[in-house]
Amino acid sequence: MTITYRDAIRQALIEEMDRDENVFLIGEDIGRYQGTFRVTQNLYEKYGARRVVDTPITEPGIVGVAMGAALRGLRPVVEMMTMSFSILAMDQIINHVAKMHYMSGGQFHVPMVIRGPGGAAHQLSAQHSHSMEGWFAHVPGLKVVAPSTPADAYGLLKTAIRDDSPVIFTENPSLYAVKGEVPSGVDYADATLPPGSGDESASSDDFTVPFGKAAIRKEGTDISLIGYSRMAHVCMDAAEELENEGVSAEVVDVRSLSPLDSSTIFASVKKTNRAVVIYEDWRFGGFGAEIAAKIQENCFDFLDAPVGRVGGLNVPMPYARNLELLCIPSKDDLLAKAREVLG
Amino acid sequence: MEAAQAGAVERKQITPSKEKKEHALATRSGSKRRQEAARRKPGNSLMEPAETLRDYHRLMVRIRVFEGLSMRAFRSGLAGGYLHVYNGMEGTAVGWLSCVREGDPIIAAYRDHGYALILGMDPVDVMAEIMGRARGVSRGKGGSMHLYSAEHSFYGGWAIVGGHTAMGVGLAFATKYRGGDEVTHLFFGDGAANAGVLYESMNMASLWDLPVVFILENNEIAMGTRLEYHAADTHMHNRAEGFNIEHERIDGMNVLHVRKDALRIIDHVRKTQRPYFVEIMSFRFEGHGAADHDRSLYRSKEEEKEAGKRDPILLLEQYMLETGVMIEGDIKVVWKDVEQEMERAYKEAADMPKPEPHEVYENVYTDILPEEGH
């Protein structure tokens, strides 16, 4: 079926809630108000206040309460109205959620998902435009995914909800309206996406996307463009333009930041001998730096040029639209860097 | 500390309606003298059998002796990091936890050795954790502040002041979600009672009718800052008022009083499936942590001497002697027995192997290993 990224997330929530009574949704304005970005639209009517829990505006409390519920076997899916607000809950997420399994010597596990839009949208300015995925990927104990397509949003969310470790599921506000084919039921139409999560409890006709698997969105031979979430689309746009110039670019959609599918990234770079990593977060110290460092450590002898890196400008997100657009990495920024790397 | 409380009450304008909900003892007894007498004498209004009194006594002695050895482990270098002992507060945990039902979730902060022992965790495993051994309750990954036991529904063992309070409410959320009748027992200190997340948690607990008891163990020192210097209203239970949560202050130095109040409160919460806030007044005999060497920075020797007269173990011993439940010789035997038991546990733990290096990567995730190497 062809549906939007937003509907794909909702579809995954519905199917998982129907499959497992322990799955419930909790967050700000997700029920009666239908969700700030309408991801949870109509779910309150369908499941009621018990399983679609409207909360006060209190992120640390929400995460902590969800964690306590998870410790007793429930599987909460927390909506962060925007991932920028997860900063309020950092102590809960990092000091509590991420560490309990380890600190308890494996006695307790925390099966919960924290999902919501991350990254810049349209003039939301400095406090609502954070890309948080790199911050979370830095933390041992958290798994972090950032889907770019409706199919991945659907398949990765199902995997996230079934995972016994805590998962940060970061969406992108500019992708909610993007449409795409989502395999559901028995339909495995999209062969570029590896089906099956290996979850024994899932039925055989269940489409999920496993963690730790990058996707090659476009094959190429001259340069690897590596990104995730919204930047995977920027990679595709740039690759198309490079194609017109006679350059064959390969696009690697990282999808899963933690665990990271290093081997797919390395294989691509060893084939093309050139790489540019792009990420929306601040360029300085961001997740793309980790990918670039890994490529340098592992593919040094295969590189014909230094690894290129494109990231957001190192400033708080400005409000003025022209300045905002300047901050968000664009196709042109990527093309410029790619041409530099191509020499 | 009594003076500190009294002074704070005088300084603060408390409305009559709030005053009514102050210390239960104050409403029961007409005068300060009688109140003091009630504090000193445990009383046995529940008519507990002699054997039960002896059990509470032994439990408290076990904690006191164990904590002595914890500090020895710290001083001798067998235990590292932060380590906080429970001396003086035994009456609170023994009295309260004697009333919980199997399966009731329990969660606490970092001064957690006492709960672990009362709940039946093996002192060898607890001491092994404090010493960072592979057989420790948390496999040497948690340490003194992070004891856990899934078997005993003990959810830790948390060391960010106030941080675990939302989790405690979440444990109760699961009870309601499933339609059970377990009561969650959420312990925290007067330091944590100033943390913002506690108030977010209290709001949700009341808003959603969750069966959780907020148990504020008020030893009147937040690390090294006295109650009157950290709390705008030193009767901290009053803060529950704004969340429409029933609240009261009780005395924590008499194990039998704590038990009597706990039975009543827990029963009430189980029936009403509503939160409750209880402030238990207690006294921390030792410093904040094992490295807190100078208690004179926040209290006088006289205060400590006065508090020593209300030592929960001493009070129960006096009561048992007066009522003939025990004679001096019996008490000595208990202490000796427990000292021998705990010395054995200490030695056994000290002789245990440390975790293997490869274990450093285990339990980060439930199903995968993190990236390896430096």
Side-chain angles (χ1 to χ4, degrees):
Chain A
M1 54 184 172
T2 300
I3 55 174
T4 63
Y5 188 90
R6 174 189 287 111
D7 292 342
I9 295 167
R10 187 186 310 110
Q11 186 61 27
L13 291 174
I14 289 169
E15 289 177 21
E16 290 306 294
M17 288 178 83
D18 287 344
R19 187 184 61 81
D20 184 351
E21 171 76 14
N22 291 320
V23 177
F24 72 97
L25 313 184
I26 181 166
E28 296 156 359
D29 282 322
I30 63 169
R32 297 165 186 87
Y33 188 70
Q34 308 296 317
T36 306
F37 288 86
R38 297 292 181 265
V39 170
T40 53
Q41 193 160 35
N42 298 328
L43 298 189
Y44 179 82
E45 288 69 24
K46 185 167 163 63
Y47 296 102
R50 176 171 165 266
R51 298 185 73 193
V52 181
V53 183
D54 277 326
T55 67
I57 299 174
T58 147
E59 288 80 8
I62 297 166
V63 172
V65 166
M67 175 180 178
L71 291 175
R72 298 194 65 206
L74 302 186
R75 303 186 89 86
V77 180
V78 176
E79 176 171 303
M80 280 291 153
M81 189 182 288
T82 96
M83 277 294 177
S84 293
F85 303 158
S86 68
I87 298 171
L88 281 100
M90 273 297 172
D91 174 59
Q92 292 296 316
I93 299 171
I94 296 175
N95 259 326
H96 297 84
V97 171
K99 290 177 184 165
M100 189 179 195
H101 187 60
Y102 195 76
M103 290 202 305
S104 68
Q107 288 190 70
F108 290 101
H109 60 276
V110 188
M112 66 186 278
V113 178
I114 299 174
R115 54 152 287 273
H122 196 99
Q123 290 188 280
L124 301 183
S125 71
Q127 293 189 322
H128 289 68
S129 302
H130 287 282
S131 296
M132 298 301 301
E133 63 280 354
W135 301 33
F136 290 121
H138 182 60
V139 181
L142 299 177
K143 296 183 180 181
V144 182
V145 294
S148 67
T149 67
D152 277 1
Y154 172 87
L156 285 171
L157 185 52
K158 298 195 99 178
T159 302
I161 292 170
R162 297 173 196 184
D163 202 293
D164 282 338
S165 298
V167 178
I168 306 292
F169 184 94
T170 180
E171 299 154 17
N172 190 297
S174 65
L175 295 179
Y176 281 134
V178 168
K179 282 190 174 175
E181 180 65 20
V182 172
S184 74
V186 293
D187 185 6
Y188 283 108
D190 193 345
T192 62
L193 299 165
S197 66
D199 186 334
E200 312 273 319
S201 69
S203 64
S204 59
D205 60 356
D206 199 26
F207 174 80
T208 61
V209 176
F211 289 172
K213 293 280 178 216
I216 303 293
R217 295 292 180 207
K218 176 185 170 304
E219 292 202 8
T221 54
D222 300 334
I223 187 169
S224 299
L225 305 180
I226 301 160
Y228 53 84
S229 190
R230 178 187 186 178
M231 290 300 129
H233 294 270
V234 173
C235 289
M236 290 300 281
D237 293 345
E240 196 179 320
E241 192 149 331
L242 287 172
E243 204 72 32
N244 296 336
E245 298 171 15
V247 175
S248 166
E250 178 148 303
V251 173
V252 183
D253 183 350
V254 176
R255 299 202 286 197
S256 167
L257 283 67
S258 176
L260 179 68
D261 183 6
S262 300
S263 57
T264 295
I265 294 169
F266 297 160
S268 175
V269 175
K270 285 176 182 177
K271 182 174 73 172
T272 63
N273 310 115
R274 295 174 201 273
V276 179
V277 183
I278 182 169
Y279 53 112
E280 189 178 326
D281 193 6
W282 291 306
R283 184 173 184 272
F284 186 88
F287 190 75
E290 177 68 32
I291 297 177
K294 278 183 176 306
I295 294 171
Q296 180 271 128
E297 280 178 331
N298 293 277
C299 310
F300 189 78
D301 292 339
F302 294 86
L303 288 173
D304 289 342
V307 178
R309 195 154 60 93
V310 178
L313 296 191
N314 288 311
V315 299
M317 189 60 78
Y319 168 73
R321 184 60 175 161
N322 64 321
L323 295 183
E324 180 182 53
L325 286 172
L326 207 57
C327 290
I328 305 166
S330 67
K331 181 181 76 171
D332 289 342
D333 297 327
L334 180 54
L335 283 171
K337 182 60 74 177
R339 286 174 188 135
E340 186 186 315
V341 168
L342 286 161
Chain B
M1 305 314 290
E2 289 301 304
Q5 278 175 40
V9 171
E10 282 164 22
R11 202 177 66 231
K12 197 78 193 168
Q13 294 280 320
I14 292 175
T15 61
S17 66
K18 281 182 182 173
E19 216 158 20
K20 266 187 209 163
K21 282 170 182 163
E22 276 175 38
H23 200 312
L25 291 173
T27 56
R28 277 203 293 270
S29 51
S31 73
K32 272 198 171 169
R33 247 179 80 205
R34 272 178 56 199
Q35 184 178 330
E36 188 55 28
R39 276 205 181 142
R40 283 174 187 278
K41 288 201 172 181
N44 188 5
S45 53
L46 290 172
M47 304 302 285
E48 310 254 16
E51 196 48 51
T52 310
L53 299 184
R54 288 191 203 105
D55 286 345
Y56 300 154
H57 177 249
R58 181 175 285 267
L59 280 170
M60 291 197 288
V61 172
R62 286 178 94 231
I63 295 171
R64 184 69 57 89
V65 172
F66 183 92
E67 295 295 48
L69 294 171
S70 300
M71 284 190 283
R72 186 203 290 172
F74 181 82
R75 283 195 301 268
S76 63
L78 282 166
Y82 297 121
L83 186 148
H84 314 78
V85 295
Y86 200 63
N87 300 35
M89 300 170 71
E90 295 92 340
T92 302
V94 170
W96 196 278
L97 293 180
S98 70
C99 306
V100 307
R101 202 176 70 185
E102 199 179 333
D104 276 359
I106 296 146
I107 183 166
Y110 47 84
R111 197 178 300 284
D112 59 351
H113 307 170
Y115 316 105
L117 296 179
I118 298 163
L119 291 171
M121 290 161 72
D122 188 334
V124 177
D125 298 342
V126 177
M127 189 58 82
E129 186 60 36
I130 291 169
M131 293 181 177
R133 308 295 157 150
R135 207 192 101 180
V137 292
S138 308
R139 298 177 63 189
K141 304 261 180 72
S144 161
M145 301 187 288
H146 304 297
L147 305 174
Y148 299 90
S149 174
E151 183 192 345
H152 298 94
S153 305
F154 185 51
Y155 292 84
W158 294 95
I160 299 297
V161 173
H164 67 292
T165 53
M167 207 188 308
V169 170
L171 296 170
F173 180 95
T175 295
K176 185 178 182 190
Y177 190 91
R178 294 226 170 92
D181 72 340
E182 309 89 27
V183 170
T184 293
H185 308 270
L186 165 55
F187 292 89
F188 55 97
D190 48 309
N194 289 318
V197 69
L198 170 65
Y199 299 97
E200 302 182 9
S201 307
M202 284 163 66
N203 183 40
M204 287 190 271
S206 185
L207 183 66
W208 297 334
D209 296 324
L210 303 181
V212 53
V213 190
F214 293 89
I215 306 159
L216 163 54
E217 291 180 274
N218 189 350
N219 62 28
E220 304 189 41
I221 309 270
M223 204 169 143
T225 301
R226 293 174 67 115
L227 181 61
E228 64 266 36
Y229 297 130
H230 76 68
D233 177 357
T234 53
H235 287 251
M236 298 186 96
H237 64 99
N238 286 334
R239 297 178 179 192
E241 189 80 29
F243 300 99
N244 195 26
I245 294 174
E246 285 184 86
H247 58 95
E248 66 183 286
R249 176 185 269 195
I250 67 172
D251 174 33
M253 301 306 269
N254 289 321
V255 64
L256 299 181
H257 285 162
V258 174
R259 179 168 158 77
K260 188 175 176 226
D261 290 327
L263 276 175
R264 167 176 56 80
I265 292 167
I266 295 168
D267 183 58
H268 180 68
V269 171
R270 212 180 296 284
K271 276 188 189 136
T272 59
Q273 293 288 297
R274 282 275 303 158
Y276 204 97
F277 190 108
V278 58
E279 178 181 23
I280 308 186
M281 302 310 290
S282 64
F283 196 93
R284 187 185 83 199
F285 285 175
E286 299 292 334
H288 165 68
D292 172 4
H293 297 302
D294 189 2
R295 300 197 294 275
S296 71
L297 292 170
Y298 49 81
R299 71 185 182 205
S300 66
K301 286 255 187 303
E302 289 68 39
E303 276 177 298
E304 296 197 346
K305 205 173 152 199
E306 265 316 294
K309 294 178 189 162
R310 296 190 290 123
D311 180 334
I313 298 178
L314 185 69
L315 289 184
L316 186 60
E317 285 177 351
Q318 285 170 347
Y319 176 75
M320 290 197 297
L321 288 172
E322 282 168 21
T323 52
V325 172
M326 272 189 172
I327 56 167
E328 286 284 356
D330 297 334
I331 290 172
K332 280 186 184 146
V333 168
V334 170
W335 280 90
K336 203 166 169 220
D337 272 3
V338 170
E339 276 160 14
Q340 283 175 351
E341 179 203 359
M342 293 304 173
E343 286 284 354
R344 277 197 305 273
Y346 183 89
K347 190 170 182 312
E348 202 180 323
D351 289 341
M352 279 181 178
K354 294 169 183 166
E356 294 293 326
H358 70 83
E359 291 179 52
V360 75
Y361 291 118
E362 292 171 7
N363 308 129
V364 177
Y365 297 98
T366 52
D367 56 344
I368 56 171
L369 291 174
E371 214 171 77
E372 295 191 11
H374 286 289

